[in-house]
Amino acid sequence: MFNYHCLNPISPVGLERFTDNYQETETFAEADAVLVRSANMKEMEFSKKLKVIARAGAGVNNIPLDTCSEKGIAVFNTPGANANGVKEMVIAGMLLASRDIVGGIEWVASQREEENIGKLAEKQKKKFAGCEISGKKLGIIGLGAIGVLVANAATHLGMEVMGYDPYISVEAAWNLSRTIHHIKDVEQIYRECDYITIHVPLNDNTRGMIDAQAIDMMKEGVVLLNFARDLLVDEEALVAALEAGKVKKYVTDFANPLVAGAVNTLVTPHLGASTEESEDNCAVMAVKEVKNFLENGNIKNSVNFPSCDMGICVAAGRITIAHKNIVNMIGQFTKTLAEAGVNISDMTNKSKGDYAYTMFDLDSPANQEIVDALEAIDGVTKVRIIK
């Protein structure tokens, strides 16, 4: 029996995928698995019992990944599950930035007492006129699940699309329309595009990537959209560019005191993935990942451990080991199992950065003595008996 705990409301459509072998616990310390959306976990104490954290969404900046890796806790996210919801917000953001739809709506509301509002509207509409997005150049920084959907949708709206992603996956490349120009230098997007949208994860390499230098390279009157993470943009430099007229509009999904109410800025309250469909999709994927990990030891879509899949165990036993990626670990594992008189029928070992993950299928069941012996090896963080 496994215990799971939800730090945020998780869609019942996903939770219903748990079988009778799972029960929800209200106590965080008793959980084998934790499902989370936006709750900040960085100051939490993790019990030895915790094995897996699943983020029902893409970003994991609310989870202490280093701590989890050190404790052998696998962290999953749900890439692509909310991609369509975010894509639709990006398209809406471009349309709202191109024509002053919001300003027009607010003006009409302010004139609701006027009897001749129809005639007044005809006179005032020029104040809210804008341009069409068809025929304009869109630059997409990051061609992951969301970026690819935005790129393909924009081509159908008549836009010329340029995409930049030095790490584009094979799957994303296959899904990308042939009409999209794959750019090797992001500065080309800065210099040529009328609209620029960002779809990259937040890390040390991308933090503040849209800074004053990048903005200086952009076209006069550029529209910038940010539905990824607010810290990707140096917003002080951006607000200055908005006030100077260099940037026509900034559309962001991340409210803070600096951008809320700033000139020529459209701020939405983190609505990107706030659709019933996205929340359902994320929950379903998160639960599938948790179950596959707890029941089979398999890893897919982990942000701190490598992908590793040996299917359903048909051997007498299976054991998994989370450990540091250092020399001679496999030799020590096999020696320990041999000394216990256990034969290995199959195995796999994968690494990701400083950490690695090893799975052994055995001709006889593992026991607690074997677990204790493996955990005593320097560099091992967590050992689990799957079967």
Side-chain angles (χ1 to χ4, degrees):
M1 179 69 71
F2 296 109
N3 292 333
Y4 69 90
H5 177 74
C6 299
L7 287 173
N8 296 108
I10 302 296
S11 168
V13 174
L15 298 181
E16 288 168 359
R17 301 297 181 99
F18 281 127
T19 63
D20 293 340
N21 291 328
Y22 295 82
Q23 63 181 8
E24 186 170 7
T25 176
E26 296 299 320
T27 306
F28 177 76
E30 294 179 355
D32 298 286
V34 166
L35 291 94
V36 62
R37 291 174 62 194
S38 59
N40 187 353
M41 301 186 70
K42 291 190 174 180
E43 303 301 323
M44 293 182 173
E45 293 290 332
F46 298 151
S47 71
K48 189 174 181 180
K49 187 175 183 182
L50 183 60
K51 302 170 181 65
V52 56
I53 297 170
R55 160 76 164 96
V60 291
N61 54 311
N62 57 323
I63 302 171
L65 298 182
D66 289 344
T67 300
C68 292
S69 298
E70 291 167 4
K71 293 180 176 291
I73 301 168
V75 179
F76 296 91
N77 66 350
T78 57
N82 59 11
N84 189 70
V86 179
K87 175 206 75 177
E88 292 184 0
M89 280 293 292
V90 174
I91 300 299
M94 283 197 291
L95 295 170
L96 291 171
S98 300
R99 307 173 73 172
D100 192 7
I101 298 169
V102 173
I105 292 170
E106 291 175 344
W107 179 85
V108 171
S110 72
Q111 303 296 314
R112 61 185 178 274
E113 302 297 332
E114 283 287 341
E115 291 184 8
N116 297 320
I117 188 171
K119 291 182 179 180
L120 268 177
E122 289 299 320
K123 294 179 180 179
Q124 295 293 324
K125 66 181 182 181
K126 289 184 179 180
K127 292 183 179 180
F128 311 109
C131 66
E132 299 176 14
I133 63 174
S134 180
K136 304 301 189 298
K137 285 187 179 181
L138 169 65
I140 301 175
I141 303 174
L143 293 169
I146 297 169
V148 167
L149 289 183
V150 171
N152 291 342
T155 62
H156 293 298
L157 293 171
M159 303 188 81
E160 181 181 345
V161 181
M162 303 166 67
Y164 170 78
D165 192 333
Y167 309 108
I168 186 171
S169 68
V170 173
E171 182 181 1
W174 276 108
N175 290 329
L176 202 60
S177 169
R178 289 179 295 176
T179 63
I180 291 155
H181 308 292
H182 194 192
I183 305 303
K184 295 182 178 180
D185 184 355
V186 70
E187 292 185 5
Q188 186 177 349
I189 284 178
Y190 295 154
R191 291 191 301 266
E192 298 183 18
C193 289
D194 306 294
Y195 298 80
I196 298 174
T197 181
I198 317 164
H199 300 286
V200 297
L202 176 64
N203 55 43
D204 291 339
N205 294 324
T206 60
R207 188 183 304 271
M209 64 180 292
I210 306 298
D211 55 11
Q213 184 178 0
I215 294 169
D216 285 343
M217 284 187 260
M218 295 179 188
K219 294 177 66 173
E220 292 288 328
V222 67
V223 172
L224 181 65
L225 301 104
N226 180 11
F227 286 83
R229 284 291 179 268
D230 55 348
L231 296 179
L232 295 168
V233 178
D234 178 348
E235 292 185 329
E236 290 188 358
L238 183 62
V239 169
L242 286 161
E243 292 173 348
K246 168 76 175 184
V247 177
K248 177 184 176 182
K249 291 282 186 180
Y250 179 45
V251 186
T252 179
D253 207 20
F254 308 100
N256 60 55
L258 183 60
V259 298
V263 63
N264 292 324
T265 300
L266 299 172
V267 187
T268 49
H270 206 185
L271 297 179
S274 293
T275 66
E276 292 181 10
E277 294 87 350
S278 287
E279 292 180 8
D280 290 348
N281 292 340
C282 287
V284 168
M285 184 181 290
V287 169
K288 285 182 177 179
E289 292 165 349
V290 166
K291 289 178 64 181
N292 197 20
F293 179 72
L294 291 178
E295 296 172 17
N296 303 310
N298 298 323
I299 293 178
K300 183 179 180 181
N301 296 328
S302 174
V303 296
N304 64 332
F305 281 101
S307 295
C308 205
D309 192 336
M310 288 182 64
I312 297 172
C313 181
V314 294
R318 174 176 290 179
I319 197 164
T320 67
I321 309 169
H323 56 94
K324 291 187 177 178
N325 185 22
I326 53 181
V327 298
N328 197 35
M329 296 302 287
I330 303 301
Q332 294 182 79
F333 299 158
T334 56
K335 180 182 178 182
T336 299
L337 292 170
E339 289 175 348
V342 176
N343 187 55
I344 300 168
S345 62
D346 197 6
M347 67 162 287
T348 187
N349 168 263
K350 302 288 184 180
S351 63
K352 186 173 186 175
D354 294 333
Y355 292 89
Y357 188 73
T358 302
M359 302 173 70
F360 289 106
D361 277 358
L362 310 172
D363 285 341
S364 56
N367 55 40
Q368 189 59 43
E369 290 183 6
I370 293 175
V371 171
D372 293 341
L374 290 168
E375 287 184 337
I377 296 172
D378 188 34
V380 171
T381 55
K382 192 180 286 291
V383 179
R384 293 179 55 223
I385 296 175
I386 301 299
K387 180 180 176 182

